[in-house]
């Protein structure tokens, strides 16, 4: 499907890397620096192999070199800076890097092997193993400077340590995606959904992202310019991706395809990374038909990594972009029902869906009415693939601050409604009613992103880099 729906290309995540040790040691132990520099080259190569753009500013040995590295990293505009402590070094060497770059920092100390050979080691050989020695010093200094402290301690080729480091890189992907995102918001709030309402200034203030306020007329004008051949081409694409149910009316299918072409142009013209929309409409007028025709095009955009979500759900669209950034998909989701016999929570949503989370070929179903909304047309239906999943919602508290709220569960097979919805049965390992009570008390709001695999640790790390609270149910 990736050939049919190429992913949106975004700015690469930028990782800054600096290694260091105390220069006083080099004349005292001539073999030490070459060994540490070799370790630094290995670490640099591991980072080069990750899906990120790496700025390696080299090896520092004193505070002056640390200041030079700080300026280089400040100019690089990184999403995460990694400090590799190869041996003891002073906090004065690295504090300027954390202060001046205005970027989250991860401290790593990876000794050469699992343990020292005590019988043969002298002081110089030991010093290659004491990268953890300054870690408490860094933690104390960062705390006194008001800088969040994060660290991974291990040994150079310890894959479990690299998995922990990789978690922070995935978190940096989220920070990069949200920091540079352009979110489209089209239409108006679904009347009465107070939890959905979001202060538009909050996203640029919290993440640095941009909110582009759109009107349905922006889409209408582009729909009017779609040609018959473009509509037919989009219908042919949809037939390759979806199974068409007998309920699909050709006229409705063609309208959804036309809107899809126009929606792509809208996203391209405004350089959007996401779009949330809603319009109530009346008596089949043009704007109502536009809102009703969004589902096909919005699902195709979401599959390309551009979350497109109904009900004006800007915050959930941001959550979907975050789950997309770590490669976990992310489909628009809400509670649907509880099954106390099977101990599962049934959840999903009508409208746009993320095709990456589906267990089978997605279905286009024709609906004569959209429940709770005006209009009619084609909707997307499929069930989520069995296995581990993580929910991620973007909460907003009384003081206006945003938070990541997550829960891990397992999708299990069983009966599902066939009503043009994306649906799933999620087992959280507890009474479903108790889970709903705790989930609702978290401040998560009406909707969230359902993503693949157990990713709460990634989302917790991302919240740390973004400077927001994290809660897990």
């Amino acid at each position: 499907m990736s050939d049919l729906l190429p992913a949106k290309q975004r700015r690469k995540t930028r990782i800054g890397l600096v290694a260091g040790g105390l220069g006083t040691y080099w004349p005292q132990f001539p073999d030490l620096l070459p060994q540490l520099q070799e370790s630094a080259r290995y670490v640099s190569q591991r980072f080069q192999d990750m899906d990120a753009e790496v700025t390696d500013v080299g090896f520092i040995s004193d505070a002056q070199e640390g200041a030079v590295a700080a300026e280089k990293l400040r100019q690089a505009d990184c999403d995460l800076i990694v400090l590799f402590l190869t041996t003891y070094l002073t906090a004065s060497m690295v504090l300027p890097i954390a202060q001046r770059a205005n970027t989250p920092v991860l401290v790593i100390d990876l000794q050469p092997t699992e343990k020292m050979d005590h019988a043969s080691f002298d002081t110089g050989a030991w010093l290659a193993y004491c990268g953890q020695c300054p870690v408490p010093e860094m933690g104390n200094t960062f705390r006194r400077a008001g800088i969040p402290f994060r660290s991974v301690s291990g040994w150079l080729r310890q894959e479990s340590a690299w998995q922990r480091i990789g978690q922070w890189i995935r978190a940096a992907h989220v920070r990069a995606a949200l920091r540079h995102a352009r979110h489209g918001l089209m239409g108006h709030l679904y009347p009465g959904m107070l939890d959905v309402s979001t202060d538009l200034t909050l996203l640029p203030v919290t993440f640095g992202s941009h909110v582009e306020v759109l009107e349905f007329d922006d889409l209408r004008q582009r729909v009017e310019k779609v040609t018959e051949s473009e509509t037919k081409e989009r219908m042919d694409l949809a037939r390759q991706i979806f199974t068409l149910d007998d309920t699909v009316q050709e006229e409705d299918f063609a309208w959804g395809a036309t809107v899809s072409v126009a929606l792509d142009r809208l996203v391209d013209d405004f350089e959007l990374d996401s779009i949330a929309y809603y319009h109530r409409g009346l008596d089949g007028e043009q704007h109502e038909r536009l809102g009703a025709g969004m589902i096909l095009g919005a699902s195709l955009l979401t599959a390309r990594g551009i979350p497109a979500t109904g009900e004006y759900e800007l915050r959930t669209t941001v959550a979907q972009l975050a789950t997309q950034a770590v490669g976990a998909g992310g489909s628009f989701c809400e509670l649907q029902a509880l099954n106390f016999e099977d101990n599962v929570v049934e959840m999903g949503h009508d409208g746009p869906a993320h095709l990456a989370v589906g267990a089978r070929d997605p279905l286009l179903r024709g609906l004569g009415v959209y429940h709770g909304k005006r209009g009619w047309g084609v909707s997307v239906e499929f069930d989520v693939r069995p296995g581990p999943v993580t929910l991620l919602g973007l909460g907003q508290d009384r003081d206006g601050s945003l938070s990541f709220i997550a829960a891990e569960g397992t999708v299990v097979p069983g009966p599902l409604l066939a009503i043009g919805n994306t649906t799933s049965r999620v087992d959280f390992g507890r009474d479903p009613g108790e889970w709903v009570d705790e989930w609702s008390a978290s401040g998560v709001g009406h909707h969230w992103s359902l993503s693949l695999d157990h990713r709460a640790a990634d989302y917790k790390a991302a919240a740390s880099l973004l400077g927001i609270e994290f809660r897990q149910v």
Side-chain angles (χ1 to χ4, degrees):
M1 191 175 294
S2 59
D3 294 336
L4 297 174
L5 300 171
K8 177 181 174 66
Q9 298 301 308
R10 295 186 171 91
R11 167 193 175 277
K12 294 275 284 186
T13 301
R14 296 178 182 173
I15 305 298
L17 179 62
V18 57
L22 187 64
T24 305
Y25 296 149
W26 313 153
Q28 296 176 329
F29 308 99
D31 295 332
L32 178 59
L33 180 59
Q35 180 183 2
L36 301 181
Q37 289 174 326
E38 179 61 30
S39 292
R41 283 190 288 271
Y42 174 81
V43 167
S44 181
Q45 186 57 56
R46 289 291 298 250
F47 276 99
Q48 298 291 344
D49 294 339
M50 294 181 179
D51 184 24
E53 179 182 301
V54 180
T55 299
D56 184 351
V57 298
F59 200 100
I60 62 172
S61 299
D62 54 37
Q64 292 90 331
E65 292 178 359
V68 172
E71 179 60 20
K72 291 179 180 177
L73 291 171
R74 184 189 66 79
Q75 294 178 15
D77 186 29
C78 298
D79 300 297
L80 176 68
I81 292 174
V82 181
L83 302 174
F84 177 28
L85 311 185
T86 64
T87 185
Y88 176 73
L89 75 174
T90 64
S92 65
M93 294 169 59
V94 299
L95 181 61
I97 295 173
Q99 288 178 314
R100 298 175 191 176
N102 194 30
T103 299
V105 172
L106 171 67
V107 171
I108 64 173
D109 59 284
L110 304 172
Q111 65 186 39
T113 63
E114 300 97 317
K115 63 179 183 178
M116 295 186 293
D117 181 0
H118 297 80
S120 63
F121 270 35
D122 58 12
T123 301
W126 156 62
L127 286 173
Y129 280 74
C130 76
Q132 72 288 144
C133 177
V135 177
E137 177 178 338
M138 304 305 154
N140 176 274
T141 303
F142 277 35
R143 179 179 289 268
R144 292 164 70 178
I147 298 171
F149 179 74
R150 312 165 187 90
S151 66
V152 173
S153 300
W155 55 280
L156 197 60
R157 288 171 171 79
Q158 182 185 4
E159 287 307 312
S160 59
W162 280 104
Q163 289 172 8
R164 290 155 59 203
I165 294 170
Q167 176 180 296
W168 289 106
I169 302 303
R170 291 189 293 274
H173 289 327
V174 175
R175 181 172 188 261
L178 299 192
R179 192 157 70 101
H180 297 277
R182 290 175 55 83
H183 302 286
L185 194 58
M186 184 170 68
H188 62 81
L189 185 71
Y190 188 105
M193 294 188 72
L194 302 181
D195 67 302
V196 171
S197 178
T198 300
D199 174 4
L200 301 190
T201 307
L202 201 55
L203 295 187
V205 167
T206 303
F207 304 130
S209 48
H210 171 79
V211 180
E212 185 72 21
V213 177
L214 304 169
E215 299 175 354
F216 262 83
D217 284 325
D218 292 317
L219 180 62
R220 176 189 57 78
Q221 187 266 349
R222 288 165 176 81
V223 165
E224 292 171 354
K225 296 180 180 180
V226 176
T227 65
E228 289 186 11
S229 62
E230 288 173 327
T231 296
K232 181 181 182 301
E233 183 179 346
R234 186 55 53 95
M235 293 170 74
D236 291 341
L237 172 65
R239 287 190 181 96
Q240 295 180 66
I241 295 171
F242 297 92
T243 298
L244 268 64
D245 186 73
D246 293 341
T247 55
V248 173
Q249 301 294 317
E250 188 73 8
E251 180 183 355
D252 295 339
F253 183 28
W255 175 246
T258 301
V259 174
S260 175
V261 174
L263 192 56
D264 281 4
R265 288 190 181 144
L266 181 74
V267 166
D268 290 343
D269 290 346
F270 286 96
E271 300 178 343
L272 301 179
D273 294 285
S274 76
I275 183 168
Y277 65 90
Y278 176 75
H279 183 81
R280 182 168 55 193
L282 185 65
D283 294 338
E285 51 83 30
Q286 178 77 342
H287 293 91
E288 178 184 311
R289 294 293 292 130
L290 286 170
M294 291 281 288
I295 294 173
L296 172 60
S299 295
L300 295 177
L301 281 173
T302 302
R304 290 175 46 209
I306 306 170
T309 302
E311 298 182 14
Y312 212 61
E313 251 292 17
L314 175 61
R315 292 203 312 278
T316 298
T317 312
V318 173
Q320 288 178 269
L321 186 59
T323 60
Q324 176 71 37
V326 300
S331 203
F332 193 46
C333 209
E334 67 182 2
L335 295 174
Q336 292 181 322
L338 304 180
N339 185 323
F340 289 94
E341 184 175 293
D342 297 339
N343 276 334
V344 297
V345 179
E346 298 185 36
M347 61 180 65
H349 210 281
D350 63 332
H354 199 310
L355 306 184
V357 307
R360 54 182 169 85
D361 289 342
L363 179 77
L364 281 184
R365 183 180 294 278
L367 297 178
V369 62
Y370 295 149
H371 77 274
K373 306 177 186 69
R374 300 193 63 87
W376 65 93
V378 294
S379 189
V380 173
E381 175 181 308
F382 61 78
D383 53 313
V384 176
R385 70 179 68 169
V389 293
T390 305
L391 315 181
L392 180 67
L394 197 63
Q396 185 173 355
D397 294 332
R398 185 175 184 179
D399 63 358
S401 62
L402 297 173
S403 58
F404 273 179
I405 303 171
E408 293 181 340
T410 303
V411 170
V412 296
L416 299 168
L417 291 173
I419 57 172
N421 282 210
T422 302
T423 58
S424 60
R425 294 157 42 93
V426 186
D427 183 353
F428 292 100
R430 58 189 295 191
D431 178 90
E434 292 179 1
W435 181 86
V436 168
D437 290 340
E438 188 173 346
W439 181 245
S440 302
S442 71
V444 67
H446 191 111
H447 305 102
W448 49 88
S449 176
L450 185 149
S451 62
L452 299 176
D453 303 319
H454 283 163
R455 298 280 189 165
D458 289 345
Y459 303 146
K460 181 178 181 180
S464 173
L465 297 191
L466 292 165
I468 61 176
E469 186 179 346
F470 175 81
R471 304 172 197 145
Q472 183 170 352
V473 175

